Amino acid sequence: MKTPYYMIEEALLRRNLALISDVAHRTESEWILAFKAFALWKTFPIFREYIRSTTASSLSEARLALEEFGAKAHTYSPAYKDDEFDDIVRCSSHLTFNSLSQYERFHQRASACSIGLRVNPEYSEVGTLLYNPCAPGTRFGVTADKLPEQLPNDIRGFHCHCHCESGADVFQRTLQHIEEKFSRWFPQLEWINFGGGHLVTRSDYDIELLVHVMQAFHTRWPHLKVIFEPGSAFAWQTGPLVSQVVDVVEDKSIRTAILDVSFTCHMPDCLEMPYYPEVRGAEHVDEGGYRLGGNSCLSGDFMGYWQFDHELQVGEEVIFEDMIHYTTVKTNTFNGISHPAICMLRLDGTLEMLRSFSYEDYRDRMD
């Protein structure tokens, strides 16, 4: 297979889906796929064996839900546009408003959907400010002091998202704040959506604690349907990004292996969060070894350092682990860098090409 390419492994994807399906059953809740983290629609036939719904945050994602997944979306957007709204409603079963002003403007046109309101508990343990939806000045959700005691009759649910790759212990603490702030409105609701960021497929996630927390919640609020909508959890550790060394350069005793991929184009979370990805056959070190550089003209398109057990050679593969969730949906073609192909390793060991990219894909973005 010509590099670069993303390779999702069907066996690992089914492992995650089976685990999530079991968690959904044990917690008496619905778990749905968030497209913002994973939208490889050619895998949807596999997903439909395990889950029934998805979540969208735009018209394009809502259409993907209806037209490719085959079910209307649970839709939330920070702000809906007038010229797109009716199409979004057509593609949605649930529709959540981010603000009371958006609710007032659009709710009558959303009567075919189960209407929700995003709320902000003013508490989150997400340490990276870029990913913290409850940071001061946030544009997400309505705080408790702005809600009327009696909700409008057509509001059926609350949506609350304040996690990022979090554990059950974080959810347990956060739920206390959610209930303290908003439980007086729960008798008026039919459902509550606890959003994404619940990384149940991570090896150290305490599933038994989550089950305990949800059993207690259902005891307190037996009438509420509970929804979770993670993205990362579905595609967590399901496949790598495979690249190749194009050149090795050195300056001021720093060796950089230039690859045929780019961090800014193909692994943007590494620079945004930031975090160091795991590289197969290498150990991340504070200094020495190789800095890994992208093949774009952005000066900061590099990360370092990794220690390999040999000298890297031009043409050698460098494999970045766990590069399917978020990465595949956030890529771009800045600088005309070749976009990685997307393939799937099937259960029988065959490698199926799902999508390859050409000059025309780059050109036609500006057509």
Side-chain angles (χ1 to χ4, degrees), residues 102 289 327 347 354:
Q102 282 262 300
T327 301
L347 295 177
L354 300 181

Side-chain angles (χ1 to χ4, degrees), residues 8 18 21 30 63 68 110 114 130 142 162 166 173 185-186 189 225 229 236 262 266 294 317 348 354:
I8 184 168
S21 178
E30 183 175 14
R63 285 189 59 182
E68 303 299 338
S114 182
L130 182 67
V142 180
C162 42
S166 303
R173 292 189 292 271
W185 288 284
F186 284 2
L189 303 177
K225 178 181 178 180
E229 51 174 46
W236 180 257
S262 160
H266 309 135
E317 287 188 349
D348 62 3
L354 300 181

Side-chain angles (χ1 to χ4, degrees), residues 83-309:
D83 62 338
E84 295 181 345
F85 189 74
D86 292 337
D87 283 331
I88 288 175
V89 168
R90 176 181 59 84
C91 298
S92 304
S93 61
H94 295 63
L95 191 142
T96 296
F97 292 102
N98 183 62
S99 66
L100 292 172
S101 57
Q102 282 262 300
Y103 166 81
E104 289 294 340
R105 182 180 179 189
F106 289 116
H107 77 100
Q108 291 182 335
R109 290 162 61 182
S111 59
C113 302
S114 182
I115 294 175
L117 190 67
R118 178 160 177 169
V119 294
N120 175 11
E122 303 175 81
Y123 177 87
S124 174
E125 296 186 20
V126 177
T128 303
L129 198 60
L130 182 67
Y131 297 100
N132 187 342
C134 298
T138 181
R139 67 190 193 280
F140 298 135
V142 180
T143 52
D145 61 302
K146 293 183 175 67
L147 289 175
E149 286 301 317
Q150 181 62 46
L151 295 173
N153 290 334
D154 58 352
I155 290 181
R156 300 286 185 260
F158 278 170
H159 177 125
C160 187
H161 174 71
C162 42
H163 297 84
C164 179
E165 297 187 355
S166 303
D169 57 327
V170 177
F171 177 59
Q172 183 180 43
R173 292 189 292 271
T174 306
L175 183 58
Q176 295 176 358
H177 291 265
I178 295 172
E179 291 193 71
E180 287 172 7
K181 292 281 188 178
F182 298 106
S183 62
R184 67 179 180 269
W185 288 284
F186 284 2
Q188 302 176 44
L189 303 177
E190 296 175 0
W191 54 266
I192 186 164
N193 185 326
F194 289 122
H198 308 272
L199 197 49
V200 293
T201 49
R202 190 176 62 197
S203 60
D204 62 347
Y205 190 95
D206 191 344
I207 292 175
E208 297 306 318
L209 175 59
L210 178 65
V211 171
H212 171 75
V213 169
M214 288 310 304
Q215 287 175 339
F217 183 84
H218 286 307
T219 298
R220 294 191 297 274
W221 309 105
H223 74 288
L224 283 180
K225 178 181 178 180
V226 175
I227 303 162
F228 293 88
E229 51 174 46
S232 295
F234 284 97
W236 180 257
Q237 295 184 339
T238 56
L241 170 60
V242 182
S243 68
Q244 186 178 110
V245 177
V246 180
D247 195 12
V248 178
V249 298
E250 184 170 342
D251 183 63
K252 309 298 184 185
S253 300
I254 296 174
R255 290 186 300 174
T256 301
I258 301 177
L259 310 175
D260 61 354
V261 293
S262 160
F263 289 99
T264 191
C265 294
H266 309 135
M267 297 171 277
D269 273 355
C270 294
L271 299 180
E272 291 176 0
M273 192 147 191
Y275 78 97
Y276 290 107
E278 183 178 342
V279 177
R280 188 175 300 180
E283 178 184 359
H284 177 253
V285 293
D286 292 334
E287 59 183 13
Y290 290 90
R291 194 166 65 176
L292 299 181
N295 203 12
S296 79
C297 294
L298 176 67
S299 298
D301 189 4
F302 66 86
M303 297 196 81
Y305 299 86
W306 279 268
Q307 186 70 54
F308 293 80
D309 61 5

Side-chain angles (χ1 to χ4, degrees), residues 310-324:
H310 61 279
E311 299 292 315
L312 291 181
Q313 303 296 319
V314 171
E316 180 176 347
E317 287 188 349
V318 173
I319 300 174
F320 295 91
E321 305 286 9
D322 196 21
M323 282 293 163
I324 302 299

